[in-house]
Amino acid sequence: MTEHEACKILGVSPEAGQEAIKKRYRELMRRVHPDAGGRQEEEERQGRRHLRAQEINRAYSLLKGRAPQADGTAGRQGDGRGQGKPAERNESPAWDAPVNIHAYREREVLQYAEGHGGEVLGSFCISRGRYLWTVEEDFPLFLLSMYRCSKQILEEEDAVRPQHAARAVFGGWETDSARDPSPSRPGLSAGLRSRVQAELAYLLAQQFIDGTALLGELAKERTEDAAGREIYFMPAMLERSGRTAAKSGEVLYPSRIQKHRLYLKNREGRELGYLSFADDRLYYVVIPMLEQRSAQVKIRAAEKPEGKRYQNLELWLRLAGKQNGGMPENLNLQIEKLLADYREQSGICK
């Protein structure tokens, strides 16, 4: 698609600014939203061409990245990722983002639908694929896509459950061929399904987030040590587990990682709580790196709280060595093991 074609699709002039392009994009996306069926039917009756969400999104992705040149013409900016990309950039017209061809499952790319006053009407899928998350994609919608993907995988697992299978029921076992084995029914432990889906969504998210590439965009500062290893600074928080707080300027140390939480202790070895972030995106970048031992941290208390549950921290993250990008190779194996355990505990036989 050329810029001329993109302008024609959005209905803007080649000289249109970013605000005009964005306004027109939102207007067109509202028209193709499922809730806007009446307007679509009216346009079709008038013989107008109905624009698909993917085509509109592709045109907007092309135009929003252009920058004015010295001669006044527009051109595309670089993708800002530098060298060592973890995956190839997608060439399909659906969504302009790198892909992880080894991801366990395709995911949805979701888009907010806005009303005329800017209010959010809901969300809908504009593309599907093994696309990595980029900052251009709304992060809460990315997490929603992970929830839907994990839910679909478990529904597929439940669909092959034998009719007379034993099913876990809040710590016990029962055999009941009469009841629907759907996890929404009391026959299957809701706790088991919830725990497995949460873990599955977390593992899937790691396959679509390249933390090394995103650190430069999410961190507040970036430096290097004497050995040339990259160091990133970012604000964090201590979610306290008791009354004891860290002293202002006190250095804290990793204690343990449990259920994807990094617990911190002081110099005396007393555990004070676990690491948290005001920016949820950092949780899905920093914690996996620490679990994979691909980074080291230095943490210092920024200020002493006054009866608050949270305490501000200063966090420095140093990459362990030269990063080649890409996803951890064993994530698919972890997903398969999780699903195998789920089948065993819930009575699914394959």
Side-chain angles (χ1 to χ4, degrees):
M1 179 183 294
T2 65
E3 289 191 0
H4 175 74
E5 292 171 334
C7 290
K8 186 176 181 180
I9 289 173
L10 294 186
V12 297
S13 69
E15 294 79 21
Q18 290 298 311
E19 285 301 318
I21 292 173
K22 185 175 182 181
K23 182 179 179 181
R24 180 60 177 167
Y25 166 72
R26 289 181 172 179
E27 178 184 347
L28 293 176
M29 291 301 283
R30 285 197 297 268
R31 293 186 183 182
V32 298
H33 187 265
D35 292 342
R39 178 180 295 181
Q40 292 176 15
E41 293 174 1
E42 179 182 356
E43 290 184 353
E44 289 172 359
R45 284 196 300 267
Q46 295 174 359
R48 298 179 184 176
R49 181 170 177 243
H50 173 57
L51 296 176
R52 297 177 303 161
Q54 292 184 357
E55 187 177 27
I56 297 169
N57 187 76
R58 186 187 178 199
Y60 178 63
S61 296
L62 179 67
L63 295 179
K64 74 175 182 178
R66 65 180 183 177
Q69 305 297 316
D71 59 358
T73 60
R76 293 298 308 275
Q77 291 179 334
D79 59 20
R81 296 181 178 277
Q83 299 178 353
K85 292 183 181 179
E88 296 179 359
R89 181 162 290 275
N90 173 55
E91 295 181 357
S92 81
W95 182 250
D96 185 23
V99 296
N100 176 14
I101 60 174
H102 301 294
Y104 187 81
R105 179 69 63 89
E106 292 184 347
R107 72 176 184 92
E108 295 176 316
V109 177
L110 302 174
Q111 171 73 46
Y112 282 122
E114 298 180 354
H116 292 289
E119 69 278 10
V120 176
L121 300 176
S123 63
F124 60 104
C125 178
I126 62 172
S127 186
R128 184 185 297 273
R130 290 178 169 84
Y131 303 109
L132 298 186
W133 177 78
T134 62
V135 293
E136 289 78 20
E137 182 182 356
D138 187 84
F139 194 69
L141 288 183
F142 166 75
L143 295 182
L144 177 59
S145 76
M146 293 296 95
Y147 169 81
R148 290 184 177 181
C149 186
S150 60
K151 183 174 182 289
Q152 180 183 7
I153 292 173
L154 292 185
E155 286 176 347
E156 292 171 2
E157 295 289 338
D158 294 334
V160 299
R161 185 191 309 277
Q163 187 176 10
H164 298 279
R167 287 167 287 145
V169 185
F170 301 102
W173 292 90
E174 72 170 17
T175 300
D176 185 351
S177 60
R179 282 195 278 178
D180 184 348
S182 168
S184 62
R185 300 293 183 90
L188 177 64
S189 169
L192 171 64
R193 180 54 140 64
S194 178
R195 291 193 300 272
V196 171
Q197 185 171 350
E199 180 67 16
L200 179 57
Y202 180 81
L203 293 175
L204 290 170
Q206 290 187 51
Q207 293 196 312
F208 298 111
I209 293 181
D210 178 19
T212 304
L214 290 170
L215 273 175
E217 300 184 65
L218 301 181
K220 295 297 183 181
E221 297 178 14
R222 173 181 174 181
T223 57
E224 292 185 357
D225 63 8
R229 292 174 294 187
E230 296 175 327
I231 300 175
Y232 298 88
F233 170 78
M234 61 202 73
M237 297 182 295
L238 170 68
E239 185 161 348
R240 297 162 54 197
S241 56
R243 293 186 175 182
T244 304
K247 301 175 183 178
S248 180
E250 182 179 15
V251 176
L252 301 181
Y253 305 89
S255 175
R256 58 192 170 100
I257 296 181
Q258 183 175 0
K259 296 182 178 180
H260 311 302
R261 289 179 175 177
L262 175 65
Y263 288 84
L264 303 174
K265 61 184 179 181
N266 58 18
R267 187 180 297 273
E268 289 73 32
R270 183 166 186 173
E271 200 168 81
L272 305 181
Y274 60 87
L275 183 67
S276 182
F277 299 94
D279 187 342
D280 290 339
R281 301 174 299 178
L282 289 173
Y283 171 81
Y284 287 89
V285 171
V286 175
I287 299 300
M289 283 187 166
L290 299 178
E291 290 176 327
Q292 298 152 17
R293 299 184 179 181
S294 61
Q296 300 170 319
V297 291
K298 177 181 178 181
I299 303 172
R300 184 173 64 193
E303 59 185 35
K304 185 175 181 180
E306 297 179 359
K308 296 181 180 179
R309 183 180 177 184
Y310 295 94
Q311 182 172 2
N312 291 333
L313 301 175
E314 297 173 340
L315 183 147
W316 291 266
L317 184 79
R318 183 175 68 184
L319 301 183
K322 184 178 180 180
Q323 303 295 309
N324 295 320
M327 309 297 111
E329 295 180 357
N330 63 348
L331 279 176
N332 280 335
L333 296 178
Q334 293 182 50
I335 292 173
E336 287 290 354
K337 183 179 185 304
L338 177 67
L339 295 177
D341 292 342
Y342 176 67
R343 297 180 199 120
E344 180 180 353
Q345 295 180 54
S346 59
I348 299 175
C349 299
K350 278 195 173 183

